[in-house]
Amino acid sequence: MSKNLTSRAEDYSKWYNELVVKADLAENSAVRGCMVIKPYGYAIWEKMQAELDRMFKETGHQNAYFPLFVPKSLFEAEEKNAEGFAKECAVVTHYRLQNDPDNEGKLRVDPEAKLEEELVVRPTSEAIIWNTYKGWIQSYRDLPILINQWANVVRWEMRTRLFLRTAEFLWQEGHTAHATKKEALVEAELMNNVYAEFAENFMAIPVIKGVKTESERFAGAIETFCIEALMQDGKALQAGTSHFLGQNFAKAFDVKFTNNEGQLDYVWATSWGVSTRLMGALVMTHSDDKGLVLPPNLAPSQVVIVPIYKTDEQLDVITSKANQIIQDLKEKGISCKFDGRTTHRPGAKFAQHELQGVPLRIAIGPKDLENETIELARRDTLTKEIVRMSDLVFKVESLLKTIQDELFTKALNFRDSHITEVDDFEIFKKVLETKTGFISAHWDGTSETELKIKELTKATIRCIPTNSKEEQGKCVYTGKPSNRRVLFAKAY
């Protein structure tokens, strides 16, 4: 299994593609550019969903669902949004098929079934949602509206990669309406902070919070807040975004309300989302040449028990003990799986669970039962130790927390060691090609300079960090005045 993986050093991209498939996370489908998320991969996504959903509801949000299809006239109502997504849209033009008279047994689009208006398969839902909000909002008493939607979206990508970029993907999208600009800005920052907390506390991925430059903003947004992560190959990955939309969509869809002073005003809006792209981030941040390394907080099974036996009688005794351990761990909120398959040898089981990143592995044989000990193996460090049965639950509980913390610390150390301050453009290019990672450099604030640097190096401004300090300097490319550093990187 893992022995057949290409190493990261040899070909990082190939390693990633192989690992996603061999670890049973996902595979390419019969539909070009789309993926099948397999049960093991979907189990991880479900844990992500559960935690994020809890966090959303704790901040006052509710779930709803809106249509997959958006009439073209609604989609183009907010011009910047429509223009930004136009090239990625899948469009429904007909509503029926019929038997093909020229090809027996085949079907064709019924030429008489053309829609009066084309329907866009949602690439994002602002248009259909704000058209709906128009009927929901009349007064300041109707505000705020704090809605989240778990859904799929379609963005017709030409070059795809499992989880990272597919024509259809799963995500959540929040869409909120507020009475004031201040409330909407607070909401947009709050949700970006929620994403950062989730990434760091559950995914064990350190992120940098910041805002996007004008050219990198969401189409139709006035401000885009983001979290940026760094993968092991030194490329950045945008892990989540939260957008302050101002009154753009309210004006596009004529969503007005009577404020508490009795005057009509346009509503203030936000939208925010994360997607199954987080699965790609999880794989690339922690995994190694032997397979997945999963943080315990998101592992479908935090512990797996593998019996070592020769006879059915031995298996029965070990199974009984394993069931007791599983119950004890379950009472502590720890998920544990017993791998009692008789079709696989212990070595094959070890290899599979190593490949799939199960944080802790317990091996129990007849001698272990006699000695009242077990062998406990960590996936992240590949180390083993012998633990007394009486100490097992405490040890497992402690180790899972240790693994979660150490995975974050390891990723944080890597990230921090790959942030390089640069003041010279030749050094800028050299760092990008050799050390990689984030480059902290001055920028003159113009889109022209940003575009030129991208053309010359393929690096983009990932964000203007929230915690960046004012610092007088000169643009790394033009030498023009600059008052703060921004983060550049090559990115997924």
Side-chain angles (χ1 to χ4, degrees):
M1 290 183 174
S2 60
K3 290 180 180 178
N4 296 325
L5 277 179
T6 299
S7 72
R8 291 164 293 169
E10 182 182 345
D11 189 329
Y12 190 83
S13 179
K14 190 176 180 182
W15 163 82
Y16 171 81
N17 293 334
E18 289 177 356
L19 179 51
V20 168
V21 173
K22 290 184 178 182
D24 255 0
L25 299 181
E27 64 186 27
N28 290 305
S29 76
V31 183
R32 185 187 176 281
C34 295
M35 64 178 168
V36 174
I37 304 176
K38 301 183 77 173
Y40 192 67
Y42 201 81
I44 299 171
W45 175 242
E46 283 181 315
K47 295 203 79 168
M48 290 183 174
Q49 277 186 303
E51 294 300 337
L52 282 166
D53 201 61
R54 175 187 61 77
M55 296 171 84
F56 297 157
K57 287 171 180 172
E58 285 180 355
T59 48
H61 299 83
Q62 296 177 297
N63 288 333
Y65 187 80
F66 296 85
L68 173 67
F69 303 113
V70 184
K72 186 168 76 72
S73 60
L74 291 184
F75 184 73
E76 61 193 7
E78 211 295 319
E79 294 180 5
K80 288 184 180 179
N81 188 253
E83 183 183 351
F85 285 102
K87 293 181 180 179
E88 300 175 355
C89 287
V91 184
V92 179
T93 57
H94 292 72
Y95 61 85
R96 186 170 60 216
L97 299 174
Q98 64 178 196
N99 291 326
D100 188 343
D102 300 321
N103 292 284
E104 188 175 349
K106 302 295 182 181
L107 297 171
R108 70 174 187 180
V109 174
D110 184 348
E112 301 300 318
K114 185 173 173 57
L115 291 169
E116 289 185 15
E117 180 180 4
E118 295 94 337
L119 297 173
V120 175
V121 182
R122 62 174 170 229
T124 183
S125 296
E126 278 80 4
I128 194 71
I129 287 176
W130 276 90
N131 181 68
T132 304
Y133 282 178
K134 183 178 180 180
W136 291 7
I137 300 169
Q138 282 81 42
S139 161
Y140 71 92
R141 296 182 182 88
D142 300 321
L143 299 170
I145 292 177
L146 307 175
I147 294 291
N148 175 63
Q149 169 175 250
W150 291 98
N152 63 334
V153 291
V154 171
R155 296 179 184 177
W156 211 257
E157 300 281 358
M158 300 308 294
R159 298 179 64 186
T160 59
R161 184 183 295 184
L162 294 171
F163 290 121
L164 295 175
R165 198 171 292 277
T166 48
E168 179 196 17
F169 55 89
L170 305 182
W171 78 345
Q172 59 74 213
E173 49 180 323
H175 297 272
T176 70
H178 303 267
T180 68
K181 176 181 180 179
K182 181 180 178 181
E183 287 178 18
L185 276 167
V186 167
E187 165 76 7
E189 288 196 69
L190 169 68
M191 299 319 295
N192 200 51
N193 289 336
V194 166
Y195 290 151
E197 182 184 340
F198 172 75
E200 297 193 341
N201 293 346
F202 291 92
M203 299 182 70
I205 298 177
V207 294
I208 294 172
K209 292 186 288 187
V211 294
K212 291 289 188 181
T213 61
E214 184 178 355
S215 65
E216 293 286 330
R217 281 180 202 148
F218 175 77
I222 292 174
E223 195 79 89
T224 289
F225 300 89
C226 64
I227 55 172
E228 293 286 328
L230 191 67
M231 304 297 98
Q232 290 181 61
D233 63 344
K235 285 186 179 180
L237 185 142
Q238 179 180 284
T241 51
S242 180
H243 316 290
F244 168 60
L245 304 176
Q247 295 174 310
N248 290 348
F249 283 88
K251 290 177 179 178
F253 293 93
D254 196 31
V255 184
K256 296 177 181 176
F257 74 107
T258 304
N259 64 27
N260 57 9
E261 296 174 351
Q263 298 174 329
L264 271 180
D265 195 6
Y266 287 105
V267 175
W268 297 84
T270 80
S271 66
W272 30 273
V274 294
S275 74
T276 37
R277 166 175 266 234
L278 290 180
M279 292 286 292
L282 191 70
V283 172
M284 290 195 291
T285 301
H286 303 301
S287 302
D288 59 26
D289 292 346
K290 292 183 177 294
L292 291 179
V293 176
L294 296 178
N297 286 352
L298 290 179
S301 295
Q302 295 168 308
V303 182
V304 64
I305 301 174
V306 177
I308 312 295
Y309 63 94
K310 291 182 180 179
T311 67
D312 290 344
E313 290 76 14
Q314 289 176 341
L315 176 59
D316 290 341
V317 176
I318 293 169
T319 301
S320 177
K321 184 62 180 177
N323 287 335
Q324 180 187 327
I325 292 171
I326 290 171
Q327 185 59 38
D328 291 343
L329 292 175
K330 187 177 180 182
E331 289 176 2
K332 294 291 187 180
I334 297 168
S335 58
C336 183
K337 174 184 177 181
F338 178 64
D339 191 347
R341 292 175 295 173
T342 57
T343 52
H344 292 66
R345 293 181 178 274
K349 295 177 184 179
F350 290 168
Q352 179 184 343
H353 299 307
E354 185 176 86
L355 178 65
Q356 293 191 315
V358 181
L360 287 175
R361 185 185 72 230
I362 293 173
I364 308 177
K367 287 187 177 180
D368 297 306
L369 294 178
E370 288 178 20
N371 298 330
E372 295 189 350
T373 60
I374 57 96
E375 180 188 84
L376 191 57
R378 284 176 60 165
R379 172 61 185 90
D380 60 326
T381 59
L382 300 173
T383 55
K384 301 175 185 177
E385 62 180 303
I386 303 300
V387 178
R388 291 184 61 80
M389 291 280 190
S390 58
D391 299 330
L392 180 61
V393 174
F394 173 79
K395 184 67 175 178
V396 166
E397 198 172 20
S398 174
L399 268 183
L400 289 174
K401 185 180 185 308
T402 297
I403 293 169
Q404 184 77 28
D405 292 344
E406 289 184 0
L407 285 176
F408 177 80
T409 299
K410 181 180 178 182
L412 179 63
N413 290 338
F414 177 83
R415 196 275 310 275
D416 287 350
S417 68
H418 285 76
I419 300 177
T420 310
E421 280 197 7
V422 171
D423 295 311
D424 177 86
F425 194 60
E426 290 304 313
I427 297 174
F428 183 103
K429 291 187 288 185
K430 186 176 180 180
V431 170
L432 271 180
E433 295 304 318
T434 55
K435 184 180 178 182
T436 68
F438 289 115
I439 293 180
S440 177
H442 281 280
W443 163 60
D444 64 18
T446 68
S447 297
E448 291 78 13
T449 297
E450 187 178 5
L451 179 60
K452 191 64 180 178
I453 291 174
K454 182 179 179 179
E455 288 176 353
L456 294 172
T457 67
K458 297 183 179 178
T460 56
I461 298 176
R462 302 314 307 156
C463 70
I464 303 167
T466 303
N467 62 358
S468 65
K469 300 174 183 176
E470 284 203 13
E471 171 192 321
Q472 297 305 311
K474 295 181 179 179
C475 175
V476 72
Y477 180 71
T478 64
K480 293 179 181 178
S482 163
N483 63 1
R484 71 177 66 243
R485 293 178 182 271
V486 300
L487 290 182
F488 292 85
K490 293 183 178 178
Y492 283 97

